[in-house]
Amino acid sequence: MIALLMDLRARPGEPQLRPQGRYGPVYEWLKRGAGAAPEFEPMKTLLREHILESWPLESGTDMLGHRLEKRRFHSALSAAHDYGIRPQHVINLMKDAGIPGALDLPEVEQIYAATDVQNVVGAISGAISMSKAQQFLGVTRTQMQTLISAGYLIYSVGGDHARPRFSEEDITQFLERHTGFPVVKEMSWHPRGYDIASAARKYGVSVAVVYAAVLSGELSKTTRASDHLQFSEIRLNIEEADRVFGREYPKGWQAISKVSKELGVSVTFLRELAEKGYLELREDQDERTHQGKTVVNSESARAFGETYVSRRLLARRIGVQVREVQKRMNAAGIPILEHSIDVTEWIVEQDAISYVEGLNGRRGMA
């Protein structure tokens, strides 16, 4: 039986990344079909042990009811992912070390004992992948990219033609910046301050802007929530953060799309009105997607909604078609305050329509 399974494992054909594809119906029958019954447990055990001894499964994998506690084998692909280098580089390193692989398989499918990969690839590469560095640094992928772009986080390995990765010195230099922040343990019932990501969301800025204020000493009451030096452990004093960011970065900003719906004014016309001084806009960047976005100052939007009204919003208030609103406006002789460039939208002053029957509606933003 073992010989048959090994023959299936090494049989020429399309590369199979998962055991399910190599053993097909037999695997599925033992996992979910009638073969899952207790009387077929010896057969399931046989296949399970064969797979565990011949496939590059990562730790934590559930294989026919058994959870693999520690990785036994690496393929060129899995080692490349873990060590942040190209698969062919893994193959070349193992070949140079005189380690051909554990099974009689094509080079691209070959597997190696995880300990051999650690000794050879780990020692020679001497670098940490982006995903592993996130854990060491205590950052998310988005935060990492933001800090790299701002120059606060540097990787010294890889780049143009190889996957970027960090040396131990890169990691150490970043973390050692935080040694001067005193440790103030947090209590679950009394959090002592914002972490950097929370502050960035609250004040509408990037984590790099907040981090710059931390490193410059502008946020002098910065602490750590534990003995660890990770970015995620940094805590800002709430009152100090409000004082530093509250003036320069007002808290009340809304997405332009949300304001557009509430005021009944298209995004294009909102931009035109902002250029004329009716509202305050600013260009920002979404920290998750790094895409540009436009936000509107909430106070300016509220004041606009209390002072002016659009044709679309009037129609919504009184429950008629836009054409009917125009007829009533013309009949009442109410002047249009501002037209859009394409003349499809306009605004008027709230006071101008307040006492005209059939036009006066609820004031302010919806």
Side-chain angles (χ1 to χ4, degrees), residues 13-269:
E14 291 294 324
Q16 299 288 345
L17 301 180
R18 297 176 180 275
Q20 295 92 315
R22 182 65 73 180
Y23 308 109
V26 173
Y27 181 94
E28 293 299 322
W29 181 73
L30 287 170
K31 185 175 179 65
R32 300 182 181 86
E39 56 266 31
F40 295 104
E41 186 61 34
M43 184 182 296
K44 183 189 294 185
T45 299
L46 190 66
L47 178 59
R48 179 196 300 125
E49 290 304 315
H50 161 74
I51 291 173
L52 292 176
E53 290 297 330
S54 59
W55 286 83
L57 305 177
E58 63 180 338
S59 60
T61 300
D62 180 86
M63 181 49 58
L64 295 174
H66 172 82
R67 181 181 175 84
L68 183 62
E69 296 298 329
K70 183 179 180 181
R71 179 187 282 278
R72 300 183 186 181
F73 297 96
H74 264 301
S75 67
L77 286 175
S78 66
H81 177 270
D82 277 13
Y83 291 94
I85 63 177
R86 294 178 294 106
Q88 188 59 50
H89 193 188
V90 173
I91 294 172
N92 294 341
L93 288 173
M94 299 304 288
K95 188 184 297 184
D96 292 345
I99 302 176
L103 298 175
D104 183 18
L105 291 169
E107 189 176 68
V108 295
E109 295 183 66
Q110 189 54 260
I111 65 171
Y112 311 92
T115 52
D116 289 340
V117 172
Q118 171 63 38
N119 293 336
V120 175
V121 180
I124 296 176
S125 69
I128 301 168
S129 69
M130 300 286 275
S131 58
K132 293 292 185 184
Q134 289 177 50
Q135 301 174 21
F136 290 130
L137 299 171
V139 297
T140 66
R141 185 74 177 196
T142 300
Q143 291 169 356
M144 175 181 282
Q145 295 296 346
T146 301
L147 293 169
I148 289 174
S149 298
Y152 293 114
L153 183 56
I154 297 173
Y155 57 85
S156 58
V157 186
D160 294 340
H161 304 292
R163 186 178 300 174
R165 54 197 190 276
F166 298 88
S167 69
E168 291 187 11
E169 182 63 21
D170 297 333
I171 300 294
T172 300
Q173 285 184 358
F174 181 82
L175 295 178
E176 282 185 345
R177 294 193 187 120
H178 312 149
T179 56
F181 305 144
V183 176
V184 178
K185 298 291 180 67
E186 293 179 313
M187 304 297 180
S188 59
W189 49 270
H190 185 223
R192 294 182 178 274
Y194 303 132
D195 59 48
I196 290 181
S198 298
R201 288 191 297 269
K202 178 177 178 63
Y203 299 109
V205 298
S206 73
V207 293
V209 170
V210 181
Y211 193 51
V214 168
L215 297 182
S216 69
E218 194 173 7
L219 295 173
S220 60
K221 298 180 181 179
T222 299
T223 61
R224 280 181 285 143
S226 74
D227 295 323
H228 302 296
L229 297 172
Q230 280 94 340
F231 185 83
S232 55
E233 297 301 307
I234 297 173
R235 293 294 181 269
L236 315 180
N237 178 273
I238 293 175
E239 292 77 14
E240 187 176 51
D242 282 340
R243 186 174 66 255
V244 170
F245 294 111
R247 298 188 306 274
E248 188 175 355
Y249 304 103
K251 303 173 188 177
W253 293 83
Q254 302 178 63
I256 194 170
S257 57
K258 181 176 184 292
V259 175
S260 171
K261 292 178 182 178
E262 292 178 337
L263 295 176
V265 178
S266 71
V267 169
T268 300
F269 193 22

Side-chain angles (χ1 to χ4, degrees), residues 263-266 269 272-273 276 278 304 308-315 318 321-330 334-350 352-353 359:
L263 295 176
V265 178
S266 71
F269 193 22
E272 295 170 13
L273 292 169
K276 296 178 179 181
Y278 286 92
F304 182 95
Y308 310 104
V309 64
S310 69
R311 179 167 67 172
R312 190 183 302 169
L313 188 56
L314 269 176
I318 61 180
Q321 296 293 323
V322 172
R323 292 190 301 273
E324 178 61 24
V325 169
Q326 189 67 61
K327 289 179 183 179
R328 298 185 189 184
M329 289 285 295
N330 293 340
I334 298 175
I336 304 303
L337 183 62
E338 296 284 355
H339 272 102
S340 61
I341 292 176
D342 61 9
V343 200
T344 61
E345 297 184 70
W346 47 248
I347 61 170
V348 295
E349 292 184 353
Q350 290 274 11
I353 57 96
L359 284 175

